[in-house]
């Protein structure tokens, strides 16, 4: 029985740990925080329960397959709640659009024709072409890229005509729709990887397709229940998870990882080391700089990173039953707002934001007749040098005002019982997120596939990566996939 040491109990480390424990490895996970899940963890405030990070569960088939590999069923551990319409989109002119998943194709086409007459045929073309693209691309995202030879394999050659990497996500959607707002309805998902739809590669048109084809799910009790369920499986198969156990460094013999040193002074040796920390943060803090020429501090800072997020978690003594579970409120000038975030790196006075009103679907999250309101505002990462100590209260007040005026949450300020804020500074200093870039490394073509840090980290022996900073990228489904890829690589080596 070989020892696998995993640094971090985030979704990637948990998916790798599940699979490796089932394969017969002795899995030991060491987590710095006193809670599971990394950004997929709960925030509990006086009877109110929030998800810290992800609130959309899409492409559930990946996690279902991982559970099946352990001879279990995901639905035995959690309760899925499908959300339809998937979300409410509110544009700058106050027009609303409520997309349905393709399971309800007729309802979706009716909604499109009511709001965007003549555009439903483009929706059908979108579904048809993107289904082919999805079928071609997914196999390419389920394998590692460690050599240029991987680009010559048949699966990649078949997918190449559908990559759309030479154009932006927005340009890709222009092939299907004429109305600018409808294009936004199928491109705002670039925010899931912390990028602009005018800069994200067209490859990522499969993200909105995944929503429309497979649907969006909520987990009763919150999406953090996914991490808790995965941890349960690891423990059932003999693995261990130590919380409040920070790792100070990875121990090497030359460039061979042989163990870890914990902050309490313990040294634990292992046959395989998996780093599930935020990539740049983990590289800069866990590996001595003389052992990471390619990823020196200066090279890490030169890389491109996603945007950050300003988070507001509100427990309120009211239920807004007329407002949907998921809501995206667009700035009047959406592109200018995006450019503020990604190019100018300043705070927009007119900003876009996302609101989760989960208590309309799940009564377990708050006390009776109360609800949780989760607000996410995309903002620049910490390369912006915004002084969040100075801006925090002002920006919070602007968000509350926007919730009341644009979001439809009338008089919400008078119903707040508890609240918590996470700023980009907090992401970096408290949650160990490099530059507060919540969605990790950017997903430009220059940082994808073989150009992204490899699942078996190049230049080292016995050192592996999982999480949003490695292939295939950020977002829960792809992070789970990174764990599966890494587990398979370790098992192939024995």
């Amino acid at each position: 029985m070989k020892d696998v040491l995993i640094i971090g109990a985030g979704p990637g480390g948990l998916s790798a740990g599940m699979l490796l424990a089932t394969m017969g490895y002795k899995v030991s996970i060491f987590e710095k925080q006193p809670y599971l899940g990394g950004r997929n963890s709960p925030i509990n405030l006086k009877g109110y329960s929030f998800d810290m990070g992800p609130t959309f569960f899409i492409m559930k088939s990946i996690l279902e397959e991982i559970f099946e590999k352990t001879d279990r069923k995901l639905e035995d551990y959690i309760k899925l709640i499908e959300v339809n319409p998937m979300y409410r989109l509110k544009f700058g002119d106050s027009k609303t659009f409520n997309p349905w998943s393709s399971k309800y194709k007729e309802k979706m086409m009716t909604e499109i024709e009511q709001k965007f007459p003549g555009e439903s045929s483009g929706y059908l073309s979108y579904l048809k072409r993107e289904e082919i693209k999805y079928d071609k691309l997914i196999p390419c995202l389920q394998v590692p890229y460690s050599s240029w030879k991987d680009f010559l394999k048949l699966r990649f050659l078949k997918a190449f005509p559908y990559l759309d990497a030479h154009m932006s996500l927005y340009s890709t959607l222009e092939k299907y729709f004429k109305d600018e707002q409808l294009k936004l309805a199928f491109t705002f998902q670039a925010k899931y990887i912390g990028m602009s739809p005018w800069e994200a590669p067209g490859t990522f048109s499969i993200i909105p397709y995944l929503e429309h084809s497979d649907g969006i799910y909520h987990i009763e009790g919150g999406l953090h229940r996914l991490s808790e369920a995965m941890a349960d499986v690891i423990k059932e198969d003999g693995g261990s998870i130590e919380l409040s156990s920070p790792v100070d460094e990875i121990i090497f013999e030359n460039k061979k990882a042989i163990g870890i040193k914990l902050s309490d002074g313990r040294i634990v040796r292992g046959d395989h080391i998996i780093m599930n920390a935020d990539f740049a943060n983990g590289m800069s803090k866990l590996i001595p700089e003389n052992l990471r020429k390619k990823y020196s501090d200066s090279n890490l800072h030169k890389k491109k990173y996603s945007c950050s997020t300003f988070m507001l978690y509100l427990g309120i003594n009211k239920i807004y039953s007329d407002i949907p579970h998921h809501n995206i409120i667009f700035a009047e000038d959406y592109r200018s707002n995006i450019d503020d975030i990604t190019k100018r790196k300043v705070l927009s006075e007119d900003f876009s934001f996302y609101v989760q009103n989960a208590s309309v679907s799940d009564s377990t999250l708050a006390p009776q007749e109360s609800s949780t309101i989760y607000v996410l505002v995309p903002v620049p990462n910490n390369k912006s040098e915004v002084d969040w100590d100075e801006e925090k209260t002002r920006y919070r007040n602007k968000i509350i005002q926007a919730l009341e005026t644009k979001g439809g949450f009338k008089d919400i300020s008078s119903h707040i019982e508890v609240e918590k804020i996470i700023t980009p500074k907090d992401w970096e200093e408290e949650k160990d997120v490099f530059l507060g870039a919540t969605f990790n490394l950017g997903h430009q073509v220059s940082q994808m596939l073989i150009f992204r840090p490899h699942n078996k980290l190049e230049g080292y022996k016995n050192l592996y990566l999982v999480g949003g900073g490695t292939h295939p990228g950020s977002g829960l489904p792809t992070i789970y996939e990174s764990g599966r890829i890494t587990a398979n690589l370790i098992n192939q080596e024995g």
Side-chain angles (χ1 to χ4, degrees), residues 74-300:
L74 175 62
E75 59 266 32
D76 289 339
Y77 288 78
I78 52 95
K79 181 180 177 181
L80 288 162
I81 301 171
E82 187 170 5
V83 179
N84 253 310
M86 297 185 292
Y87 32 70
R88 171 183 65 138
L89 304 180
K90 188 174 182 183
F91 300 100
D93 61 1
S94 295
K95 178 190 282 188
T96 60
F97 179 49
N98 300 278
W100 294 76
S101 69
S102 60
K103 184 189 298 184
Y104 302 94
K105 189 180 296 183
E106 295 303 319
K107 289 185 177 182
M108 178 60 170
M109 292 179 68
T110 299
E111 178 73 5
I112 290 175
E113 287 301 320
Q114 286 178 349
K115 304 295 174 64
F116 308 102
E119 294 272 27
S120 60
S121 60
Y123 167 70
L124 294 177
S125 298
Y126 168 80
L127 289 179
K128 184 177 180 180
R129 202 257 181 181
E130 292 298 316
E131 181 179 12
I132 298 170
K133 179 175 180 176
Y134 170 83
D135 289 341
K136 300 289 186 184
L137 287 187
I138 290 301
C140 296
L141 300 178
Q142 295 179 318
V143 293
Y145 286 80
S146 56
S147 165
W148 290 98
K149 293 178 182 178
D150 291 318
F151 290 122
L152 300 177
K153 292 180 179 176
L154 186 59
R155 61 175 171 263
F156 187 84
L157 296 176
K158 285 183 177 180
F160 188 77
Y162 297 90
L163 285 177
D164 296 332
H166 62 293
M167 61 177 72
S168 71
L169 172 58
Y170 190 85
S171 298
T172 301
L173 267 294
E174 283 186 317
K175 297 185 294 186
Y176 306 110
F177 305 116
K178 296 177 182 177
D179 189 280
E180 292 299 311
Q181 290 180 337
L182 192 54
K183 292 173 193 173
L184 292 186
F186 285 81
T187 58
F188 77 86
Q189 294 85 348
K191 290 286 185 65
Y192 300 173
I193 54 173
M195 291 187 70
S196 160
W198 290 275
E199 294 180 353
T203 311
F204 291 104
S205 63
I206 64 170
I207 298 178
Y209 174 75
L210 286 169
E211 291 183 343
H212 285 266
S213 63
D214 292 347
I216 291 173
Y217 292 84
H218 172 74
I219 309 301
E220 184 176 81
L223 262 67
H224 61 267
R225 285 286 304 120
L226 295 169
S227 290
E228 292 162 10
M230 297 167 79
D232 288 343
V233 173
I234 291 170
K235 293 173 185 176
E236 288 166 10
D237 282 345
S240 66
I241 302 174
E242 293 190 29
L243 303 179
S244 301
S245 298
V247 175
D248 279 355
E249 64 177 294
I250 298 171
I251 301 170
F252 291 89
E253 286 181 354
N254 296 318
K255 284 200 170 183
K256 180 181 179 181
I258 61 168
I260 58 174
K261 181 180 179 182
L262 284 90
S263 59
D264 62 9
R266 281 183 295 157
I267 291 177
V268 184
R269 291 182 175 267
D271 299 289
H272 303 284
I273 315 298
I274 299 176
M275 188 171 76
N276 185 207
D278 176 86
F279 173 71
N281 186 73
M283 289 299 295
S284 61
K285 293 183 178 179
L286 299 177
I287 301 176
E289 189 164 12
N290 67 313
L291 293 181
R292 52 183 173 90
K293 184 176 180 181
K294 181 177 180 179
Y295 295 114
S296 65
D297 288 349
S298 60
N299 286 341
L300 287 172

Side-chain angles (χ1 to χ4, degrees), residues 19-32:
L19 293 168
L20 289 165
T22 296
M23 293 171 183
Y25 291 83
K26 183 182 177 184
V27 173
S28 302
I29 301 179
F30 301 89
E31 168 58 51
K32 177 180 180 179

